[in-house]
Amino acid sequence: MDLSTNYMGLTLKNPLIGSSSPIWSDESNVKRFEQAGGAAIVLYSLFEEQVVLDEKSKKNAAYADKDDVESFTYLPDFGHYSFSPQQYLDFIDKVKKSTTIPIIASLNGTTAGEWTHYASEIEECGADGLELNIYSIADDPLLSAPSVEESYLELIRIIRKSIKIPFAVKMSPYFSSVPNMVKRIRDTGVDGIVLFNRLYEPDINLKTLDVLPALRLSSSEDLKMRLRWASILFDKVAIDIGISGGVHTAQDVIKSKVAGAKAVMMTSRLLKGDIEGVKDILAEISSWLDRNGYSSLGEIEGMLSELTVDHLRHFRRAEYLRVLGNYREWIKRQEG
């Protein structure tokens, strides 16, 4: 069965990519994913804050006797992400020599500062592609929506101009017009868009009144929003779509493909230790295609996108009203 796909200019043996997470800091996990049949890896991220910390540490050491050195003590303890930018570059070089699948580096940041020069250094280290994860929250009432969008685009333009390797942007779903933002990102020369990054919502400890970091791994329920936007964007914006968030099963991968995704990225199931489960997922996809009379995964790509639906506005409203009008039946199905 032909499961191959082409994502952001990379020819992949199948659409299943290991999304950016701490597990890829262990080279043995990268090998396990490759041996299980995974098509590519997006490495753990190099954060803007880590570059700032590294550069300020060097500056502080060189000018320790000066009073005007800006403090960098506000930066957090990175825990498992405690590595220097140079260590990140060295790891790319190391893992590229030990694997055959494409290795996509990951930069995570929000501002168009000097830290972006690491994009070109990542390219020089042999990375097959780069994913930029723009993880930010607009919390200033005086900051307009156009200003937020332009800051995204400025950062993307700077990195696009500095590299030639395939480049994807992992974006937030919280724009007033996702299709327009995707189009504007595409117009900067980006090769792929990843739907979507996840904001990790903090919790509050009522005993101590502290804000607590909280991690909630995804479930297949999280996939629904990604399917919706992939189907809307398919053939409306000429850019390769990757889906990240809520991918756990072969059915999730198939749904993503029929909605229009080129690549499908998995994190939470792998974080739980089930890297070898990738082999079963790929086997189930092949079996489903065979049972339904398809010879390749490409045949079903975009099959159920909104391109195939007449009277789109009426369809969306009708679906909305149909769900609300039959809420008792939906609740019974969930309880049963």
Side-chain angles (χ1 to χ4, degrees):
M1 186 65 67
D2 179 11
L3 302 184
S4 64
T5 188
N6 190 291
Y7 171 62
M8 56 188 272
L10 299 173
T11 299
L12 306 178
K13 59 186 177 182
N14 62 67
L16 199 51
I17 296 176
S19 191
S20 180
S21 78
I23 63 172
W24 307 130
S25 61
D26 184 341
E27 187 182 359
S28 66
N29 286 334
V30 178
K31 289 297 295 181
R32 287 170 59 198
F33 185 78
E34 177 185 25
Q35 291 165 359
I41 291 286
V42 181
L43 289 180
Y44 58 96
S45 295
L46 175 62
F47 289 83
E48 175 183 352
E49 291 82 358
Q50 287 171 300
V51 176
V52 170
L53 178 61
D54 184 70
E55 293 181 350
K56 288 186 176 180
S57 296
K58 292 175 182 177
K59 182 178 180 181
N60 196 58
Y63 301 100
D65 58 333
K66 294 189 176 181
D67 296 329
D68 61 347
V69 178
E70 184 180 354
S71 171
F72 54 86
T73 56
Y74 69 92
L75 291 170
D77 177 2
F78 284 99
H80 289 294
Y81 277 102
S82 295
F83 51 85
S84 70
Q86 186 57 52
Q87 288 173 319
Y88 189 80
L89 298 176
D90 291 342
F91 187 77
I92 293 173
D93 180 66
K94 181 181 179 182
V95 78
K96 276 296 298 177
K97 292 176 179 176
S98 63
T99 56
T100 60
I101 59 176
I103 300 298
I104 302 168
S106 173
L107 285 179
N108 191 312
T110 60
T111 61
E114 293 184 4
W115 73 279
T116 58
H117 73 83
Y118 275 96
S120 60
E121 296 192 35
I122 283 171
E123 180 176 34
E124 292 174 5
C125 285
D128 297 288
L130 176 64
E131 180 180 283
L132 173 64
N133 188 339
I134 307 178
Y135 183 105
S136 66
I137 299 175
D139 57 2
D140 183 353
L142 299 179
L143 190 63
S144 68
S147 297
V148 172
E149 294 174 359
E150 183 55 36
S151 67
Y152 262 66
L153 296 170
E154 181 186 6
L155 174 56
I156 293 167
R157 290 189 199 103
I158 288 173
I159 293 180
R160 175 71 284 181
K161 289 179 181 178
S162 68
I163 59 174
K164 296 180 180 178
I165 56 177
F167 180 33
V169 172
K170 194 171 189 177
M171 67 177 288
S172 164
Y174 303 116
F175 288 98
S176 56
S177 175
V178 170
N180 178 262
M181 193 62 187
V182 171
K183 179 184 180 299
R184 293 166 69 192
I185 291 173
R186 188 278 314 275
D187 290 345
T188 66
V190 166
D191 304 292
I193 194 78
V194 182
L195 311 174
F196 295 103
N197 57 24
R198 297 175 64 214
L199 297 178
Y200 293 106
E201 307 291 352
D203 201 354
I204 294 176
N205 186 322
L206 292 179
K207 291 183 179 179
T208 63
L209 294 182
D210 288 332
V211 177
L212 301 176
L215 172 65
R216 182 187 69 83
L217 296 180
S218 75
S219 71
S220 293
E221 284 295 305
D222 295 297
L223 182 63
K224 292 178 180 178
M225 178 174 64
R226 279 87 179 161
L227 297 178
R228 174 190 179 205
W229 283 114
S231 68
I232 291 173
L233 291 167
F234 184 78
D235 269 6
K236 288 188 176 67
V237 184
I239 192 170
D240 288 350
I241 298 171
I243 283 182
S244 177
V247 179
H248 291 258
T249 67
Q251 289 74 22
D252 294 335
V253 176
I254 295 167
K255 289 177 183 179
S256 299
K257 289 298 293 183
V258 298
K262 290 280 188 181
V264 185
M265 302 175 188
M266 178 177 288
T267 305
S268 293
R269 180 168 173 173
L270 303 179
L271 282 171
K272 293 177 182 178
D274 191 18
I275 295 177
E276 281 69 30
V278 168
K279 185 181 297 183
D280 296 329
I281 290 173
L282 295 172
E284 290 178 39
I285 293 171
S286 294
S287 178
W288 184 92
L289 291 170
D290 185 56
R291 291 197 310 271
N292 288 276
Y294 300 107
S295 60
S296 73
L297 198 52
E299 290 180 61
I300 67 170
E301 186 175 292
M303 182 179 290
L304 294 183
S305 73
E306 290 208 346
L307 180 69
T308 64
V309 180
D310 293 329
H311 310 297
L312 297 184
R313 290 186 183 277
H314 294 128
F315 174 78
R316 294 186 194 120
R317 292 289 296 177
E319 281 297 287
Y320 171 66
L321 294 171
R322 188 167 70 89
V323 170
L324 293 181
N326 295 280
Y327 73 93
R328 291 189 178 89
E329 286 75 8
W330 292 109
I331 292 174
K332 288 179 181 179
R333 290 181 193 176
Q334 292 177 1
E335 292 177 345

